[in-house]
Amino acid sequence: MQVQKNVSLLNYNTFGVEVYSHNFVEVNEVHTVKNLIESGYLDQNYLILGGGSNVLFTKDFDGLIIRNTITGIELIEKNSHYLVKAGAGVVWHKLVEFCIAQDISGIENLSLIPGSCGAAPIQNIGAYGVELKDVFNELEAIDLETGMTKTFTKDDCDFGYRNSVFKNELKGQYLIISLTLQLKKKFEFNTSYGAIENELQNLGVEKLSPKIISQAVCNIRRSKLPDPEELGNAGSFFKNPIISNDHFLELQKSNPDIKYYTLEDGQVKVPAGWLIEKSGWKGQRFGNYGVHKNQALVLVNYGGAQGQEIYDLSERILKDIKSKFDIALEREVNIIL
């Protein structure tokens, strides 16, 4: 175990914000976590960091950054399904590619989502009609106070829309070491959400497969979302708000072009990107940061921006949406103040 001092986090957050951490350690094995606990390093303020794709640092971190790099993928075949177990440090899209290479369906709609497998259940990642909870089996995590390993079932995780128990009452208390998915042997494709069917038509697809749906999803995402290696961002910065049907009907009177998805419980999900674009923020640039020109959900760092500047921009957008639509947007990105 090697704890480094005053480490730049520029290459460890996809926003490309230049901040420093007082202490920094990489965890690639379970025993390293236990060594950290026994050494007393966790008595200070600490933050677990995976791919850094869902975090915005507004200043230097006065504590310990724990970068989770535990790897490995294991495939277990059962009678009716597969279990796919991945180390928390595995890049999520690498797990998607692994399943596609085995011709296993279930997570192809989640292609190209940035981040690590350990972060996926914390956020309950989702895209194009599929959420992690739909294929989740269990995860293993270490209690950072006792050093004991615990297995969490789906019920234990209390999954919600871009939410889980690890973002609430158990926040910062556990370090996830592995994630196991349960994927069906029989193909069950979901192509009805968003622009997938249109893209499949553009590709001239005659027979569906996990690989071709993944390609369609990747094509759509690349056309809308900037590559973090080329332009600093954390993907969707805001959650899509869920409002009552009555509230929606009132908005629809003055905004007949409003986009929406009716939920099973009668509530309505409104795309945050539509609200932000309708309010004139899309493509707005303020020096070296702004709102992406192709996707209003994405705040970007053109190079050299401070995290506080990006955070302040998000505040202005939140207030504007509230005043115009009486909708309180929520940030999807984890803000480190």
Side-chain angles (χ1 to χ4, degrees):
M1 181 183 72
Q2 182 181 2
V3 177
Q4 303 175 61
K5 302 288 186 181
N6 298 318
V7 173
S8 170
L9 300 179
L10 179 64
N11 295 323
Y12 298 116
N13 73 96
T14 60
F15 255 119
V17 173
E18 177 73 286
V19 291
Y20 287 78
S21 178
H22 183 63
N23 291 313
F24 180 93
V25 65
E26 287 205 4
V27 169
N28 53 21
E29 294 180 325
V30 172
H31 74 83
T32 307
V33 184
K34 298 183 177 180
N35 289 343
L36 274 176
I37 297 170
E38 294 169 358
S39 68
Y41 268 105
L42 299 188
D43 293 340
Q44 63 187 296
N45 183 31
Y46 61 83
L47 175 68
I48 300 166
L49 193 64
S53 62
N54 196 49
V55 64
L56 175 64
F57 289 96
T58 61
K59 61 182 179 180
D60 291 342
F61 189 75
D62 186 19
L64 172 69
I65 292 290
I66 305 170
R67 186 161 186 261
N68 192 337
T69 58
I70 298 173
T71 58
I73 301 177
E74 179 183 3
L75 174 63
I76 304 167
E77 185 171 356
K78 299 292 185 179
N79 289 333
S80 62
H81 61 271
Y82 298 101
L83 294 178
V84 183
K85 182 176 182 178
V90 172
V91 173
W92 172 259
H93 188 63
K94 294 296 182 183
L95 179 61
V96 175
E97 291 179 326
F98 173 87
C99 291
I100 289 172
Q102 309 298 321
D103 206 26
I104 299 174
S105 68
I107 58 174
E108 56 276 359
N109 289 44
L110 306 181
S111 295
L112 220 61
I113 292 180
S116 65
C117 289
I122 296 174
Q123 185 75 1
N124 184 26
I125 60 173
Y128 298 104
V130 176
E131 289 186 316
L132 181 79
K133 68 178 180 62
D134 301 330
V135 294
F136 180 87
N137 182 66
E138 66 180 26
L139 65 80
E140 294 177 306
I142 296 178
D143 186 322
L144 293 177
E145 182 176 352
T146 67
M148 300 294 291
T149 300
K150 178 179 177 178
T151 299
F152 287 80
T153 65
K154 182 185 293 188
D155 288 341
D156 294 332
C157 293
D158 193 23
F159 289 124
Y161 173 56
R162 303 298 175 268
N163 205 5
S164 73
V165 69
F166 302 105
K167 292 184 74 173
N168 298 294
E169 55 263 41
L170 296 185
K171 185 174 182 178
Q173 296 181 35
Y174 284 85
L175 184 143
I176 296 171
I177 56 178
S178 70
L179 166 69
T180 302
L181 307 180
Q182 180 173 313
L183 303 173
K184 297 177 181 178
K185 287 188 174 180
K186 182 181 179 180
F187 287 158
E188 291 185 5
F189 300 123
N190 186 338
T191 62
S192 62
Y193 198 98
I196 294 181
E197 290 185 347
N198 288 338
E199 183 60 26
L200 290 172
Q201 289 179 5
N202 293 338
L203 292 171
V205 173
E206 297 181 356
K207 183 178 180 180
L208 294 179
S209 69
K211 183 176 181 179
I212 197 66
I213 292 176
S214 175
Q215 182 182 340
V217 170
C218 289
N219 289 352
I220 296 167
R221 291 184 68 90
R222 287 180 176 128
S223 70
K224 292 183 176 181
L225 302 173
D227 185 343
E229 294 187 5
E230 299 176 1
L231 186 62
N233 74 93
S236 298
F237 200 92
F238 304 97
K239 297 180 182 180
N240 291 324
I242 296 173
I243 61 176
S244 70
N245 188 57
D246 288 343
H247 188 178
F248 168 73
L249 292 175
E250 283 298 315
L251 289 176
Q252 195 176 42
K253 289 178 182 178
S254 54
N255 300 276
D257 60 333
I258 189 171
K259 308 296 183 183
Y260 66 96
Y261 304 96
T262 303
L263 304 180
E264 292 181 358
D265 61 3
Q267 296 190 97
V268 179
K269 182 187 291 186
V270 179
W274 183 89
L275 296 169
I276 297 168
E277 182 174 350
K278 187 74 172 180
S279 300
W281 289 97
K282 185 178 179 180
Q284 291 291 320
R285 180 168 179 169
F286 307 91
N288 50 5
Y289 64 96
V291 182
H292 193 250
K293 63 180 181 179
N294 294 333
Q295 176 51 267
L297 269 182
V298 180
L299 305 188
V300 296
N301 176 7
Y302 292 103
Q306 297 179 7
Q308 186 65 48
E309 293 176 313
I310 297 170
Y311 174 77
D312 290 343
L313 172 59
S314 74
E315 277 285 288
R316 290 160 56 195
I317 292 173
L318 290 178
K319 292 177 181 177
D320 193 34
I321 300 305
K322 178 64 175 176
S323 67
K324 290 177 177 174
F325 300 100
D326 194 25
I327 292 178
L329 287 185
E330 292 183 53
R331 297 179 184 88
E332 190 170 318
V333 172
N334 185 24
I335 309 296
I336 310 301
L337 297 170

